[in-house]
Amino acid sequence: MNRYEQVVSEKLERLRSQKKFNLLAIESSCDETAASVLTSEREVRSMAVHTQIPLHQRYGGVVPEIASRSHVERIGGVVRYALEDAKMSMEDIDAVAVTCGPGLVGALLVGVSYAKGLAFARQLPLIGVNHIAGHIAANYISHKELEPPFVCLVASGGHSHIVEVGDYSQFRLIGCTRDDAAGEAFDKVARVLGLPYPGGPHLEKLALSGDENAFSLHAGFNAKPILDFSFSGLKTAVINLMHNAEQTGRELNKADVAASFQRAVVDTLVTKSVNAAMEAGHGKLVLAGGVSANTVLRNRLRVAAEAKGIAFYCPEMKYCTDNAAMIGCAGYYGLLGGQSSSLNLNANPALAL
């Protein structure tokens, strides 16, 4: 055991016994550079996020090389801002948490490298956090009373999972998309409709003025009595609908198309998630991920769950998209549960939950 490992081992033992300590969390898995300071697993002292949306808008999506460079340029300032906003310095920090996957490998490497440097320089415990586990943990911050076990729908641009959460660091994947994630499908259809990046929020806004029953959009796979789902077929149905209209000179109401597509996606997510919660029998259904900011999904999932006697939880809007507070919360529970990472921690873009 080297000097760093010996010091960190002693610190970990102390932190786990006192349970309340200051943790700095870093998130850089995609196009947000974020840092946060927590003083307990559910107490956020500060949250700083720098978004790269303006950088990627001209390309219609995230460009990995541009994202990585922006993280390099911004991460130091974002961490300093989070510390200043918490009225702390690195001398006050007891541990460091960082997203190590899944995500864009170059973007992840920036955050992991920075966190490892801080941990080594300050001789602090380090923990790598799964990004999806972070999204799930966002609900603990918003709902102090929420405890496992429960079923969680994680819907984002890169992932659509139904997860049974047995404990704070115990997860079982019980359903997932076979192709496009829900957020990815939203973005692709938004592009077909001529909407700017990021497409999801713009499509939701457009759908407000549309008729969700105007077009019947279905994916045969989603009618199967299983918990997996598919969104590629729905995306293709919209593309074909638009193409056929163009070929015949017929003008479609884009708001109707957006509303019909949104309904098809939301209906699928709601049906599968409520079925999963009923099968699990925990009486709790949780929503997480970037798509959890979609108000139609939030409202319909709540109504469907409560109609079955299932308690429903979703995070506050500020914790829906990528942020470091959720990573800190997941990291806190990981450290308290006996987990930690060595300085050999590496980015894993395909990290499984």
Side-chain angles (χ1 to χ4, degrees), residues 5-64:
E5 293 171 338
Q6 182 179 351
V7 171
V8 164
S9 178
E10 294 170 357
K11 287 185 177 180
L12 279 171
E13 186 175 349
R14 186 177 72 253
L15 295 181
R16 287 165 182 158
S17 64
Q18 68 188 46
K19 294 187 177 180
K20 189 168 183 177
F21 51 90
N22 298 326
L23 180 144
L24 171 67
I26 295 171
E27 152 65 24
S28 68
S29 63
C30 190
D31 59 347
E32 263 90 26
T33 313
S36 180
V37 175
L38 290 81
T39 53
S40 73
E41 64 270 32
R42 305 192 188 202
E43 184 180 346
V44 179
R45 286 288 298 272
S46 69
M47 191 171 80
V49 181
H50 175 265
T51 182
Q52 300 177 10
I53 287 176
L55 293 177
H56 301 289
Q57 275 182 328
R58 70 177 70 179
Y59 306 105
V62 177
V63 181

Side-chain angles (χ1 to χ4, degrees), residues 6-177:
Q6 182 179 351
V7 171
V8 164
S9 178
E10 294 170 357
K11 287 185 177 180
L12 279 171
E13 186 175 349
R14 186 177 72 253
L15 295 181
R16 287 165 182 158
S17 64
Q18 68 188 46
K19 294 187 177 180
K20 189 168 183 177
F21 51 90
N22 298 326
L23 180 144
L24 171 67
I26 295 171
E27 152 65 24
S28 68
S29 63
C30 190
D31 59 347
E32 263 90 26
T33 313
S36 180
V37 175
L38 290 81
T39 53
S40 73
E41 64 270 32
R42 305 192 188 202
E43 184 180 346
V44 179
R45 286 288 298 272
S46 69
M47 191 171 80
V49 181
H50 175 265
T51 182
Q52 300 177 10
I53 287 176
L55 293 177
H56 301 289
Q57 275 182 328
R58 70 177 70 179
Y59 306 105
V62 177
V63 181
E65 293 82 359
I66 293 175
S68 300
R69 181 175 293 276
S70 179
H71 286 308
V72 171
E73 295 171 348
R74 297 288 182 171
I75 191 167
V78 169
V79 169
R80 283 194 296 274
Y81 181 87
L83 288 168
E84 291 171 2
D85 195 38
K87 296 180 172 55
M88 294 184 189
S89 68
M90 279 305 301
E91 283 75 16
D92 301 306
I93 298 301
D94 299 304
V96 179
V98 62
T99 305
C100 59
L104 302 175
V105 64
L108 288 166
L109 279 168
V110 176
V112 169
S113 299
Y114 196 90
K116 285 164 63 174
L118 287 178
F120 180 73
R122 305 298 307 181
Q123 301 285 283
L124 298 175
L126 172 72
I127 183 166
V129 174
N130 185 297
H131 182 77
I132 299 173
H135 274 303
I136 294 171
N139 282 278
Y140 299 135
I141 302 172
S142 295
H143 304 283
K144 310 300 184 186
E145 76 281 7
L146 177 62
E147 295 180 351
F150 55 78
V151 166
C152 181
L153 168 65
V154 183
S156 67
H159 306 91
S160 288
H161 295 341
I162 300 178
V163 180
E164 184 176 22
V165 182
D167 206 343
Y168 291 106
S169 298
Q170 180 185 334
F171 309 99
R172 184 171 72 93
L173 183 65
I174 57 177
C176 66
T177 181

Side-chain angles (χ1 to χ4, degrees), residues 151 164 174 225-227 272-282 310:
V151 166
E164 184 176 22
I174 57 177
I226 58 176
L227 297 179
K272 302 283 187 178
S273 300
V274 172
N275 287 345
M278 291 177 65
E279 289 180 17
H282 301 309
I310 299 170

